Amino acid sequence: MAIDPNVDPYGYLGMVRNSDGSITRLQKPLVLVDTSNDLSHLVVTKDIIINSSKNTWARIILPRELLHSTTSTPKLPLVIYFHGGGFIVATVDSPSFQGLYASIASEIPAVVVSIEYRQAPEHRLPAAYDDCMEALDWIKNKPDELLSNHADFSKCFLMGTSSGGNVVYHVGLRAAESWDNFKPLEIKGLILNQPFFGGSKRTQSEVRLANDKVLPPIISDIMWDLGLPEGANRDHEYSNPMVGIESNPNLLDQVKLLGWKILVTGCDGDPLIDRQVDLVKVLKELGVQVKGSFTQGFYHGSEIIDPLEVKKFSLLVKELISHF
């Protein structure tokens, strides 16, 4: 039986909050996955350790036909993916992400590398950002032969879902400042899939969807409480991108100079949509090449869980990548 996040938020997340503020993880949170359109037969995967001391690793996903081709095939765009989970739950291996990996790899087609980063509250932000920056460096310096042979490093895109979209934004800003250090890895765009942002003041969509059954504000609050640096509130720049932009109007200058394109997706059944729409508006005002794709209805995570929405999202990503 599904747990109502508004009644038992910690149970919904598969954990209990201890009296000292720490958490005890009980089990993986239940996420319903539609397996009626299993695409796993279309891809091959390989898991590789990035940093054993941090237990960070990556999963490489590429089209199966690429390895079975009898003719020389051109290298494919490289999509580096950061998974969701509010920084506190989910992993690269979570069932809910497997269909998206397969769809992106086979539909575009592309080589996908999904990065496992450390979780909060054991490792609060910026640990996830640090780990994902380290992953970029690892891909550049020690690429597995699957990447060396099949990935076009000059067509690299950072993509993430939910908190992974948040990671894309912050890692993208960092990477833009040191872009020359990552060659031959050349980032061309950032893809923020229903990105996870927050703030101390509730937005209209958060008020409207206060009792949402997927990601109600009470769940987001817990994720930020456990994920942000000790003592920080939801108006920290990690959660509220407007704070960073207001304190540094030149924050996106390097992104503009590099000509990166940004895609932000969302839906009005997600309490986070107002924050996503506002970010697109502000980025446009700053002169960033950004596109917002927002749909009616649905829910947070629909673009990784619902097979039809996974397909639509994959085609959106394909359109972006086709410009390069």
Side-chain angles (χ1 to χ4, degrees):
M1 183 176 172
I3 297 173
D4 187 331
N6 297 287
V7 175
D8 182 7
Y10 285 99
Y12 178 75
L13 292 167
M15 58 182 66
V16 293
R17 187 77 180 254
N18 303 316
S19 57
D20 63 357
S22 65
I23 62 162
T24 300
R25 298 178 189 276
L26 301 177
Q27 74 277 329
K28 290 181 181 178
L30 176 63
V31 178
L32 297 177
V33 180
D34 188 334
T35 58
S36 62
N37 189 32
D38 184 7
L39 303 176
S40 59
H41 63 285
L42 298 176
V43 296
V44 292
T45 66
K46 181 178 181 181
D47 294 350
I48 302 176
I49 293 170
I50 296 177
N51 187 328
S52 57
S53 68
K54 296 179 181 177
N55 199 28
T56 55
W57 55 281
R59 173 165 296 169
I60 301 172
I61 306 101
L62 67 166
R64 184 175 296 276
E65 63 183 23
L66 200 64
L67 297 186
H68 296 289
S69 175
T70 55
T71 59
S72 177
T73 55
K75 291 187 175 182
L76 300 179
L78 175 61
V79 176
I80 300 173
Y81 180 78
F82 308 125
H83 67 76
F87 302 108
I88 62 172
V89 295
T91 69
V92 165
D93 211 24
S94 295
S96 51
F97 301 120
Q98 308 312 308
L100 178 63
Y101 302 156
S103 181
I104 294 291
S106 60
E107 189 70 52
I108 291 175
V111 175
V112 179
V113 184
S114 184
I115 307 301
E116 184 62 20
Y117 51 84
R118 290 171 294 170
Q119 288 185 339
E122 297 85 354
H123 305 282
R124 291 174 176 267
L125 293 173
Y129 307 150
D130 295 342
D131 292 348
C132 293
M133 284 295 290
E134 184 180 29
L136 295 184
D137 204 52
W138 168 81
I139 291 170
K140 167 205 159 185
N141 290 316
K142 300 177 183 176
D144 181 82
E145 61 180 14
L146 287 179
L147 298 180
S148 303
N149 294 340
H150 301 293
D152 183 350
F153 279 27
S154 71
K155 291 182 181 177
C156 175
F157 299 82
L158 305 186
M159 182 174 102
T161 297
S162 191
S163 56
N166 176 296
V167 173
V168 167
Y169 178 78
H170 288 287
V171 168
L173 290 176
R174 286 196 194 182
E177 291 301 320
S178 55
W179 65 274
D180 209 31
N181 296 334
F182 288 109
K183 287 188 174 181
L185 204 61
E186 293 184 34
I187 297 168
K188 299 295 187 183
L190 309 178
I191 301 159
L192 285 64
N193 171 219
Q194 297 183 315
F196 182 57
F197 293 116
S200 295
K201 184 179 178 182
R202 294 281 192 245
T203 63
Q204 289 184 4
S205 59
E206 288 168 344
V207 172
R208 173 171 57 87
L209 295 164
N211 295 313
D212 183 61
K213 298 300 184 184
V214 178
L215 189 70
I218 190 173
I219 293 294
S220 293
D221 292 352
I222 290 171
M223 289 171 164
W224 289 123
D225 183 44
L226 296 174
L228 288 169
E230 290 278 6
N233 65 26
R234 297 193 301 276
D235 282 328
H236 191 283
E237 63 180 322
Y238 293 163
S239 52
N240 190 341
M242 302 305 170
V243 171
I245 292 170
E246 288 167 7
S247 64
N248 180 8
N250 301 316
L251 188 63
L252 278 298
D253 282 2
Q254 192 62 29
V255 169
K256 290 190 290 183
L257 193 64
L258 291 168
W260 290 2
K261 296 186 186 301
I262 300 178
L263 171 65
V264 182
T265 71
C267 64
D268 76 353
D270 181 357
L272 301 179
I273 188 168
D274 284 357
R275 299 191 185 279
Q276 298 157 357
V277 170
D278 286 349
L279 178 63
V280 170
K281 178 173 177 285
V282 169
L283 292 181
K284 282 183 177 177
E285 290 170 352
L286 291 172
V288 176
Q289 296 183 64
V290 60
K291 175 185 177 182
S293 178
F294 302 107
T295 58
Q296 298 294 309
F298 296 102
Y299 51 89
H300 187 79
S302 56
E303 291 179 342
I304 63 167
I305 295 170
D306 182 299
L308 289 177
E309 291 306 298
V310 171
K311 173 86 169 180
K312 287 181 191 174
F313 174 64
S314 299
L315 292 174
L316 264 181
V317 175
K318 183 176 185 176
E319 180 188 6
L320 171 69
I321 291 178
S322 70
H323 292 294
F324 296 92

